[in-house]
Amino acid sequence: MKLVRYGAKGKELPGIIDSDGNLRSLAGLINERSEQFLSDKGLAELGRMNLSKLPLVPGKPRFGCPVANVSKFVAIGLNYTDHAKETNSPIPKEPIIFMKTLNCLQGPNDDVMIPRGSVKTDWEVELGIVIGKKTRYVTQDDALDHVAGYVLVNDVSEREYQMERGPQWDKGKGCDTFGPVGPYLVTRDEVPDPQSLELWLDVNGKRMQTGNTKTMIFPVKEIISYVSEFMTLFAGDIITTGTPPGVGSGMKPQVFLKAGDVMTLGISGLGEQRQKVVPFKL
């Protein structure tokens, strides 16, 4: 299933994409903020619905972040060997964990705003994991059973804030608009192998990143198990899993985003995003 949330910012409604690619409304039929909604049982009940009986949504509404009840937006750094090398960073021996703020979450095609004074805003196409049930000290063998589905994420980053203004990455990762997610939450049954997905990102039509999740240093099941040792994950939490090579900070000379640039990105089976970069405004 491909689950979405559509409509104006702050007023999104739940929806689902049918087999013909039509958007159908789930408004009033589900409680997307329930702890049970993304569980195996909840998704199974949703899967038994006759989608052809659901109302069609007319036009082309805006898509928001496809997950309604995110309590944590966790991120993994330097999870592709070539990306670590291009940034002159050592290959991590354990997953690097940092947090992206909830206020950076937004829809897949919403504008990305350059922070005030920023000169090093960068892009990162990533696979995101959406947790389906309470997850604490889960083993790698059981980890994928705790996944509701997967999403496309652009882990937008401000490199000066991240790398040059203290040891914590968070300050360069959680700026407003720095977390486009979606367009869909694609349920686990439609992604039988999360370690075989193609990723790509273009800036102004020029290919910057090309990669495959098979080259992750720490695969999805290991990431989930590892993170669950340090924090309890709940249904709706998102873990974004790192980016392949091709970021602006890894280029020689370095290249960063400026107002007017357009990012387009995608992951096989998970859809595509498009963001226009805009200047800072209060």
Side-chain angles (χ1 to χ4, degrees), residues 176-201:
D176 292 342
T177 76
F178 270 24
V181 177
Y184 323 117
L185 187 171
V186 181
T187 51
R188 186 178 77 230
D189 59 300
E190 293 196 12
V191 187
D193 183 6
Q195 303 307 147
S196 63
L197 303 176
E198 299 285 344
L199 307 89
W200 60 271
L201 183 144

Side-chain angles (χ1 to χ4, degrees), residues 77-78 80-92 96 162-163 169 217:
L78 300 177
Y80 289 74
T81 301
D82 288 347
H83 173 55
K85 288 180 178 178
E86 74 175 346
T87 59
N88 297 313
S89 302
I91 306 303
I96 296 172
Q162 176 189 355
M163 307 302 295
W169 287 13
I217 298 169

Side-chain angles (χ1 to χ4, degrees), residues 62-75:
R62 168 190 172 270
F63 281 2
C65 173
V67 188
N69 56 328
V70 186
S71 76
K72 285 183 287 299
F73 193 2
V74 185

Side-chain angles (χ1 to χ4, degrees), residues 42-263:
L43 292 176
E45 291 175 356
L46 186 58
R48 288 192 288 270
M49 286 188 177
N50 184 345
L51 300 189
S52 65
K53 301 295 185 181
L54 299 178
L56 285 166
V57 178
K60 295 182 179 180
R62 168 190 172 270
F63 281 2
C65 173
V67 188
N69 56 328
V70 186
S71 76
K72 285 183 287 299
F73 193 2
V74 185
I76 305 299
L78 300 177
N79 196 30
Y80 289 74
T81 301
D82 288 347
H83 173 55
K85 288 180 178 178
E86 74 175 346
T87 59
N88 297 313
S89 302
I91 306 303
K93 296 180 180 179
E94 296 186 34
I96 296 172
I97 298 175
F98 61 92
M99 306 297 289
K100 289 181 74 74
T101 59
L102 297 184
N103 62 280
C104 79
L105 285 168
Q106 63 169 14
N109 302 315
D110 293 341
D111 292 343
V112 165
M113 182 175 66
I114 294 178
R116 183 167 61 187
S118 166
V119 294
K120 294 186 178 182
T121 296
D122 206 347
W123 56 83
E124 294 191 12
V125 59
E126 302 195 4
L127 171 67
I129 308 161
V130 180
I131 298 298
K133 58 185 176 182
K134 187 176 180 179
T135 302
R136 188 182 186 197
Y137 294 108
V138 68
T139 66
Q140 290 190 41
D141 288 342
D142 293 335
L144 295 186
D145 292 338
H146 289 245
V147 175
Y150 300 92
V151 290
L152 169 61
V153 176
N154 190 354
D155 174 21
V156 185
S157 308
E158 211 297 335
R159 301 303 188 188
E160 180 187 8
Y161 301 174
Q162 176 189 355
M163 307 302 295
E164 301 174 34
R165 298 184 64 177
Q168 298 298 321
W169 287 13
D170 299 41
K171 65 182 70 174
K173 293 287 190 171
C175 304
D176 292 342
T177 76
F178 270 24
V181 177
Y184 323 117
L185 187 171
V186 181
T187 51
R188 186 178 77 230
D189 59 300
E190 293 196 12
V191 187
D193 183 6
Q195 303 307 147
S196 63
L197 303 176
E198 299 285 344
L199 307 89
W200 60 271
L201 183 144
D202 296 349
V203 177
N204 299 328
K206 180 180 179 181
R207 183 58 47 93
M208 297 298 188
Q209 291 186 274
T210 302
N212 191 294
T213 55
K214 68 184 178 183
T215 64
M216 284 182 178
I217 298 169
F218 307 104
V220 166
K221 64 180 181 180
E222 185 173 353
I223 289 170
I224 297 169
S225 177
Y226 185 84
V227 172
S228 77
E229 293 183 25
F230 302 101
M231 63 191 80
T232 301
L233 299 166
F234 298 97
D237 286 351
I238 298 173
I239 306 174
T240 191
T241 59
T243 197
V247 299
S249 58
M251 296 181 178
K252 297 180 181 180
Q254 293 180 327
V255 178
F256 296 107
L257 294 167
K258 61 185 183 304
D261 286 344
V262 174
M263 293 178 284

